[in-house]
Amino acid sequence: MPAFKARLDIIGINPFIFVPQPVLLALFKDAGKDKGHIPVYGLVNGTPYVQTLLRYKGEWRLYINTAILPNSPKRIGEIIEVSIAYDERDRTLQPHPDLIKALAQNKEAEAVFHNLSPSMQKEIIRYISTLKTTEARAKNIKLAIGFLLGENRFVGRHINK
């Protein structure tokens, strides 16, 4: 796994580092692409991370959030030690079984769900799957079904029918 040192920088409110060109080329080769999102993993100052390498404003950036590096927004300018490798593991989110059951019981909502953009489907799946209690999940699945039927808002949005 390639390792290097990089200066922590910031764009807007997001701390990031630039990945050196030789390391980028190796990642592109391993990923089989040099466009879009590239899933990666490695170490930052010895702490494991899982992240996505992104191109923004023509530059490839590895965003360093507070889960990867505590207080990262306050550490701009610091030199950090980074190792990075392409992450070939499947990161597909699976819908919670309760959401699958609710969609199966309402074919109209299920059809709308499957016609949503992949990012909106992922947003709903992630939101429902991260809820801690059965009660919260049941309440939010009901809201999600209502949203899909155009009856209410969910995750701060209205459905465009």
Side-chain angles (χ1 to χ4, degrees):
M1 180 178 312
F4 58 94
K5 291 184 180 187
R7 180 182 175 275
L8 190 62
D9 207 338
I10 194 163
I11 188 164
I13 61 169
N14 301 303
F16 73 93
I17 60 164
F18 290 113
V19 177
Q21 190 68 19
V23 176
L24 276 175
L25 294 174
L27 288 170
F28 296 159
K29 182 178 181 223
D30 292 345
K33 64 180 184 173
D34 63 359
K35 291 180 173 47
H37 300 130
I38 298 180
V40 295
Y41 71 99
L43 301 172
V44 168
N45 290 349
T47 302
Y49 70 88
V50 175
Q51 187 61 292
T52 303
L53 187 63
L54 302 170
R55 187 174 183 141
Y56 179 71
K57 291 193 173 183
E59 300 283 349
W60 286 93
R61 304 165 197 265
L62 179 64
Y63 288 91
I64 308 292
N65 58 34
T66 55
I68 296 171
L69 184 67
N71 295 317
S72 57
K74 297 178 181 174
R75 297 169 74 169
I76 304 309
E78 183 176 320
I79 304 299
I80 60 176
E81 295 181 23
V82 180
S83 65
I84 190 168
Y86 172 64
D87 188 356
E88 61 186 31
R89 293 174 294 177
D90 181 18
R91 293 187 181 180
T92 306
L93 290 175
Q94 297 302 318
H96 192 280
D98 294 348
L99 178 59
I100 293 171
K101 181 178 176 185
L103 289 171
Q105 292 172 348
N106 189 317
K107 294 299 180 189
E108 183 183 351
E110 183 178 40
V112 172
F113 179 81
H114 290 299
N115 284 319
L116 291 174
S117 68
S119 62
M120 178 57 86
Q121 289 179 21
K122 186 176 180 180
E123 187 174 353
I124 292 170
I125 290 167
R126 179 178 289 136
Y127 186 82
I128 298 293
S129 297
T130 58
L131 294 169
K132 304 278 188 237
T133 66
T134 303
E135 295 80 22
R137 193 167 27 261
K139 175 185 165 194
N140 281 277
I141 288 173
K142 184 176 179 184
L143 287 172
I145 297 297
F147 164 76
L148 294 168
L149 296 174
E151 298 169 359
N152 55 268
R153 292 171 59 92
F154 184 67
V155 293
R157 301 172 193 258
H158 283 291
I159 193 87
N160 295 328
K161 281 190 131 183

